Amino acid sequence: MTTSDGNTPQVTDEHIERLKENMEKVEALSKRLVDVMAGKTPHTPALDGPNQELFAKAATAYFAEAWQNPAKILEHQIEYWGKSVLNFAEAQQAMAKGEIETDESAPKDRRFANPMWDTNPYFNFIRQQYQTNAKAISQAVASVEDIDDKDRRRLTYFSQQIIDMMAPTNFLATNPDALEKAVETEGQSLIKGLENLVADLEANDGELVVRLADETAFEVGGNIATTPGDVVYRNRMMELIQYKPATETVHETPIVLFPPWINKYYILDLKAQNSLIKWVTEQGYTLFVVSWVNADTSHADIGMEDYIQDGFLTAIEEAKKICKVKQVNAVGYCIAGTTLSLTLSLLKQRGDKSVKSATFFTTLTDFGEQGEFTPFLQDDFVNGIEDQVNKDGVLKAWIIGRTMSFLRSNDLIYSPAIRSYMLGETPPAFDLLYWNGDGANLPGRMAMQYLRGLCQGNDFVTDGFELMGHTLHIRDVDVPLMAITCETDHIAAWKDCYRGVQQMGSRSKTFVVSESGHIAGIVNPPSKKKYGHYTNPDLKGDADTWLNEADFHEGSWWPMWEAWLKKRSGKQVPARDTGDSDHPRLAPAPGDYVTVKASR
């Protein structure tokens, strides 16, 4: 490929011929693509979109509004028509003049960062018309009346998904970055992109799950999850890892940390610089962490009661035995925090004081507001999930991962897909994204108990959640507690977490809002000096009042939590080595369960 002025690429006949040769390679890849799609295992269609009743309701309401108030609808239509004609006229004018007048005041969209969106009449017209269409769809949805709030939120969400999906950047013919790269590389970028696409489909049984990270760059136990420790107990539900001490003495009361079983525990031990696990041992604590089993069909009948009995209660009991103490400090993250709350209610009703204090990371207990999960927690989707788990025995990791990704589709689906499939780039070597893709299957029975009884029924804060012969209720959670939430968390919104903490029966409650989101707000080491946090001891008012009156603190909440924990962790004792005569070291950390990949 030559250039005429040292900068501008000049496409030659020879270049075109090499481009054609590369395009012929597409045939072989296309055959692989057809083969993998032909062998795809079908899944319940309800997992792919809402019941058509939602759109029927919206259409009926829209046309009813048109009959009742035609002027309003016509105003929207005329505005759309006028803008579309203006876009076309401006494009014609630009082609005639050979230049475009750009609007510097227009809001910036990073999807349209390529200068050609502003300087090329073709791409400029496409961008403007897409933005006009997007506004028209949003306006139409906003104008729909006579539908309830949940349906409105779902309609807004799914219409935005359509808008995002139809962005011109998602299609080769209207993506200047991809077209420029294809010409520059003589079509090799498209060959590599198609190879990436086929590889992702083959790796996921025909389901399109965009790989976010270079999986060859990481090894669990090699360059991530490397804090020294040993598996000291194992059963069908979990491995219990005890971490080696990093100080000569430790606090008498150990910590037992329960991570979510939707993902692997090593989010808290990615690398030494941001490992909460390593940091806790360096503060002088005996730390136990549960590594959950990655469910397969043999776990289909495992329920919440099994996680409590063979997970929470067993881990607490074994930690007590190893440390020869009567109490532990417990920590629960996300769904494990929710289940820790259930466990504390059970212990309260049994008169068991094994837990001295509880810390909750981004934990929902009151599901009265479903937030961004509203589109997925209605009966059409949940019924679809139930149908699928009845077939598979488990709620497969790709279903969970896809749902989470669609909450941030531009960042977690479309942008990575463009880079991988159109530009032919290798996914980045990013440990957080590697962990994000290393999902876990959920036992079918547990998944439905959680979705039906907690998420949909909100039983824990209303009539009580029936489990293990008890009616578990949030008011029974009465140990001293600290709740860490995250300001921009889209999975466990901090205001919803706050509402749950308000209803807990504890006399001693500390509530914290960290800056950032579900992961970065928790994995926030003091050394980074990155995200601050808010505190306010008065939990009587609503969430907005709490935040308005809260004090802001620079830096991580970890030291503040450790100071709180220290008061509840007893005297200093000689550092404990891992295990004992009744708890032999079964395997070095990170153990065996964490390396099991989710079945497809």
Side-chain angles (χ1 to χ4, degrees), residues 261-262 295 307 335 389 393-397 400 440-444 446-447:
W261 50 90
I262 293 175
Y307 277 89
I335 189 175
V389 300
V394 296
L395 178 54
K396 291 188 174 181
I400 305 165
N441 299 325
L442 304 185
M446 185 285 304

Side-chain angles (χ1 to χ4, degrees), residues 280-505:
V280 167
T281 63
E282 291 172 344
Q283 308 315 303
Y285 292 89
T286 301
L287 176 64
F288 295 86
V289 175
V290 166
S291 175
W292 298 102
V293 72
N294 199 337
D296 57 32
T297 53
S298 69
H299 301 99
D301 293 328
I302 283 177
M304 295 290 289
E305 63 271 27
D306 298 293
Y307 277 89
I308 290 176
Q309 184 59 55
D310 295 336
F312 287 75
L313 297 180
T314 298
I316 290 168
E317 203 57 36
E318 298 307 320
K320 285 166 51 182
K321 291 176 183 176
I322 292 172
C323 295
K324 298 176 176 58
V325 294
K326 294 181 178 180
Q327 291 183 305
V328 305
N329 290 313
V331 182
Y333 192 169
C334 193
I335 189 175
T338 306
T339 311
L340 176 58
S341 299
L342 298 174
T343 303
L344 291 171
S345 175
L346 178 67
L347 291 176
K348 167 70 173 178
Q349 294 183 30
R350 288 179 173 179
D352 188 328
K353 300 184 182 297
S354 293
V355 175
K356 193 171 186 179
S357 77
T359 302
F360 301 102
F361 294 165
T362 63
T363 293
L364 289 171
T365 47
D366 184 341
F367 293 84
E369 290 291 331
Q370 297 170 344
E372 293 195 37
F373 283 94
T374 299
F376 303 106
L377 290 178
Q378 308 317 306
D379 279 340
D380 52 355
F381 265 99
V382 177
N383 289 344
I385 290 173
E386 189 165 28
D387 287 344
Q388 194 65 46
V389 300
N390 286 339
K391 296 174 185 175
D392 298 335
V394 296
L395 178 54
K396 291 188 174 181
W398 72 263
I399 298 175
I400 305 165
R402 187 179 70 168
T403 301
M404 297 293 187
S405 294
F406 267 111
L407 294 176
R408 294 291 182 271
S409 57
N410 281 329
D411 293 332
L412 296 177
I413 296 178
Y414 300 123
S415 291
I418 290 167
R419 290 193 297 269
S420 184
Y421 307 150
M422 289 191 197
L423 301 178
E425 297 177 359
T426 300
F430 187 10
D431 54 2
L432 177 60
L433 291 179
Y434 172 82
W435 166 84
N436 187 70
D438 189 15
N441 299 325
L442 304 185
R445 183 161 173 267
M446 185 285 304
M448 296 318 301
Q449 285 175 305
Y450 177 72
L451 290 171
R452 295 291 193 197
L454 294 174
C455 296
Q456 285 192 309
N458 202 22
D459 293 348
F460 190 47
V461 301
T462 54
D463 297 331
F465 188 64
E466 299 292 336
L467 204 68
M468 303 172 73
H470 290 260
T471 302
L472 306 179
H473 200 279
I474 194 169
R475 61 175 170 263
D476 294 327
V477 179
D478 65 352
V479 301
L481 65 89
M482 178 178 285
I484 313 297
T485 63
C486 301
E487 189 174 19
T488 59
D489 193 335
H490 64 286
I491 294 173
W494 78 266
K495 292 182 180 181
D496 298 334
C497 298
Y498 176 80
R499 195 173 58 252
V501 170
Q502 282 184 307
Q503 296 173 76
M504 292 177 177

Side-chain angles (χ1 to χ4, degrees), residues 68-135:
Q68 295 294 324
N69 189 4
K72 176 181 173 183
I73 303 300
L74 285 173
E75 181 183 358
H76 291 169
Q77 288 295 310
I78 291 169
E79 180 185 354
Y80 172 72
W81 296 339
K83 184 60 177 171
S84 297
V85 171
L86 182 61
N87 290 341
F88 179 73
E90 289 176 345
Q92 293 287 85
Q93 184 182 54
M95 292 180 67
K97 287 184 176 181
E99 61 181 24
I100 295 175
E101 295 182 9
T102 58
D103 182 3
E104 297 296 334
S105 65
K108 300 301 180 184
D109 185 331
R110 61 184 178 181
R111 292 176 296 179
F112 304 114
N114 190 303
M116 291 185 72
W117 291 113
D118 291 320
T119 60
N120 182 288
Y122 168 70
F123 288 112
N124 185 261
F125 171 68
I126 289 171
R127 174 179 62 81
Q128 287 192 334
Q129 191 57 39
Y130 167 72
Q131 291 171 333
T132 298
N133 293 342
K135 180 180 178 182

